[in-house]
Amino acid sequence: MSRISLRSVDLPVPALRLGRIERYVLVQQLGALGVALGVISALVMLIDFVEISRGLGSDTDLSGLRVLGLMLLKSPAVIVQLLPFVFLFGTLSAFVGLNRRSELIAMRAAGVSAWRFVLPAAGCALVLGIVTVTVIGPLASSADGLFQRERQRISGSVMSSEAPEAVWLREGQDQRQIVIRAARQDRANARLLDVSFFIYTTDEDGRRAFSERIDAETASLSNGFWRLTNAQGARTGQRAMSYATLDLPSSLADDEAFERFARPQSTPFWSLPGQIQRITDAGFSSTAYRLRLQQLLATPLLFAAMSILAAAFSLRLMRLGDLARMAVAAVVLGFAFFFLNQFSAAMGSAEVVPPFLSAWLPPVLTALAAFTLLFYTEDG
């Protein structure tokens, strides 16, 4: 009986590394992205400097250095929002430059597929998108939140305090909701003044009913409890009772009684899940914050799609020979997808469509259009 010997065969495993061509294209793309980022950042900072000078600067005597500091707090959030155009213009500029120098023609003549240098460029945009969402974006959001607080403080210093604005809060869990109204607040002593607590309970059927009202002279929040002084409370169908001091459990943090919820754009990426949970527990709508979270998660895909779209239009220049027309078409299409993203976000904020669909539909459509154009360009 013959014996069959089996010997191991070393199968070639594709190496996950970039060749010389890919590295060269990536260097060209990163350089063009840096130039596009510099131009867009300069324009944004110039516009913000003028806006802050004419807005806050006209109401108060702000020095040039103070205006510059406020601009540096506000501009990063706007620049991050315009980063899709950085990838569109930067990638388009890089590949158009390669095409003008006939380097793309030489690569294609040597049998190099367009996918070989387009996909690494898209992968680079994807990685930069992840870095933007996880590192740069939170820093920009924190700076924007600081700018909003500084603007309110500067604007408040020149506003009349004769008619203070009433404070409204809402907190609670599924079984109990509390609506709080204060005629004014004492920030120096962290107190609410002339405050009323309207307490609602939820039955097993999900119906909410009013159960108790408590009026107090002052209310201060500390260690998860409201401390009320000179309070009077009455339950439904019962007589009113007076309290010198009364403690009510609270789900708010100590500083939330005096700070409104930050805007979705001012909330860092890592803080959004907790913020959504807090707003939901308080009984408010968290649609804008859930939409913001999904938009941030879809940002890397949007950056990669913009890069592929720009590269695909640049590749067609070799065959059509119309540089200006195709470059303008790429820019117009990029603007169209950007405004589609804004329109979809508006639909999501209005709860016309779910936040998930509103955030992911424009990047997916952009990616599909880019891949379709690239397939048509490469394979005819």
Side-chain angles (χ1 to χ4, degrees), residues 7-19:
R7 295 189 304 172
S8 60
V9 179
D10 295 331
L11 297 177
V13 179
L16 298 178
R17 60 186 180 87
L18 299 177

Side-chain angles (χ1 to χ4, degrees), residues 316 319 371-380:
R316 294 190 66 189
R319 298 180 180 179
F371 276 114
T372 301
L373 181 60
L374 189 58
F375 273 118
Y376 176 76
T377 303
E378 177 67 8
D379 301 326

Side-chain angles (χ1 to χ4, degrees), residues 11 20 33-34 47 49 59 189 218 227 245 321 330:
L11 297 177
R20 183 174 300 176
L33 289 177
I47 294 173
F49 187 88
D59 297 332
N189 299 311
T218 65
R227 171 61 60 91
T245 61

